[in-house]
Amino acid sequence: MPVSGAGPRILVVEDEPVINQAVTDRLRGSGYDVVQAWDGPGAVAQFSDAVPDLVILDVMLPGFDGHEVCRRVQRDRPVPVLMLTARDDETDLLVGLGVGADDYLTKPFSMRELVARIRALLRRVERAATLATRGPARIRLGPLDIDPARRRVSIDGVDVHLTPTEFDLLVCLADAPGTVHTREQLLAEVWDWPDAAGTRTVDSHVKSLRSKLGAGLVRTVHGVGYALEATS
C-alpha cells in the first residue's frame, strides 16, 4: 500500500518479487510514496489508477514487455521513466529511449545509484516546469524551431516528438550552437549528475536524437563531446 502523505509517487514495475520489494522498501525508506506492479497489463492499470510522478520499469515483463508499457503510458500522460534492463545491449537501450524512456540502469545496480537517478529525474521535471512558466525565448536555427515554453520542436514546420530528456539535451546544445559540450558537462547540465559515471547514457541519447532530427544536426567531436550545428 502507498504511504499516506509521503513524497512523490513512484510506480515500481518488476516481475521479480525480491527485486520489486527491495526497490520498494528502499524508496519508501527515502520518503517516496510507492505503488507496485508485476506485469505489463498491471503496470498500465496502476499507472491510470495511481497517477505516479515517475515510473521504474523493467524491460522483461509477463503480459507485454516494458517497451510496450512505456509506449502506452507516455501516450496517455508524459512522465519520467527509468528503465531497468538485464542486458547492456545498445539496441535495447535505443529502443527504450525511442518509446519514451528518460534513463536506464543495467542490472545489477546499486540502490544508492537508483535513488540518485530518481532524484535527478524529478529535479529536471521541476526545472522544466519553472522554465515553462518563465516563457523563455524560442530558438530558431535554420529549419529547426525550438519552443522551450511549450516544449515543442519542429523541423521545416513538422513537429518532432522528443522525450523530456531528449528535449532538455537539445535545448542545452542549442543554447550555444557550434560550441562543443563535453559528455561530463552534458551529464551535469541535463541529467544533473555530479560525476561522469554515465557518459554512455549521453551517447545513447544523442543517437536517439539524431534518429529523430537527422544525422547531420548534432556533430561528434571525437574524444571530447557534441555540438549542435549552427545552420543558417
Side-chain angles (χ1 to χ4, degrees), residues 4 35 48 52 56 72 81 87 98 115 118-119 129 134 143 145 149 182 186 192 197:
S4 177
V35 292
S48 178
I56 297 173
R72 297 190 187 195
V81 174
R87 297 194 303 173
V115 172
I118 289 168
R119 287 174 177 163
R134 291 175 181 170
D145 186 355
T182 68
L186 292 172
D192 200 13

Side-chain angles (χ1 to χ4, degrees), residues 170-227:
L170 178 61
V171 169
C172 183
L173 293 171
D175 276 343
T179 300
V180 179
H181 296 69
T182 68
R183 292 172 177 85
E184 292 76 16
Q185 287 173 331
L186 292 172
L187 278 173
E189 295 177 27
V190 178
W191 280 265
D192 200 13
W193 295 357
D195 56 46
T199 52
R200 189 180 173 198
T201 296
V202 178
D203 298 339
S204 297
H205 277 82
V206 167
K207 287 184 179 181
S208 183
L209 196 60
R210 282 174 171 154
S211 71
K212 297 178 180 181
L213 299 178
L217 191 63
V218 182
R219 176 169 55 94
T220 299
V221 180
H222 292 288
V224 183
Y226 299 100

Side-chain angles (χ1 to χ4, degrees), residues 33-97:
D33 180 354
V34 183
V35 292
Q36 297 166 276
W38 291 266
D39 57 33
V44 175
Q46 278 283 44
F47 182 81
S48 178
D49 293 341
V51 193
D53 300 294
L54 183 144
V55 179
I56 297 173
L57 180 59
D58 188 29
V59 172
M60 301 302 296
L61 294 170
F64 44 79
D65 67 15
H67 294 146
E68 182 60 25
V69 172
C70 195
R71 287 189 189 94
R72 297 190 187 195
V73 302
Q74 295 288 26
R75 182 176 58 205
D76 293 338
R77 176 177 63 88
V79 64
V81 174
L82 172 61
M83 299 202 80
L84 306 177
T85 176
R87 297 194 303 173
D88 193 16
D89 184 277
E90 189 171 50
T91 300
D92 279 355
L93 301 180
L94 289 175
V95 169
L97 298 177

Side-chain angles (χ1 to χ4, degrees), residues 98-117:
V99 296
D102 293 277
D103 200 0
Y104 58 84
L105 276 176
T106 302
K107 298 178 182 178
F109 53 85
S110 75
M111 290 296 179
R112 176 180 292 182
E113 183 174 9
L114 176 67
V115 172
R117 298 283 186 97

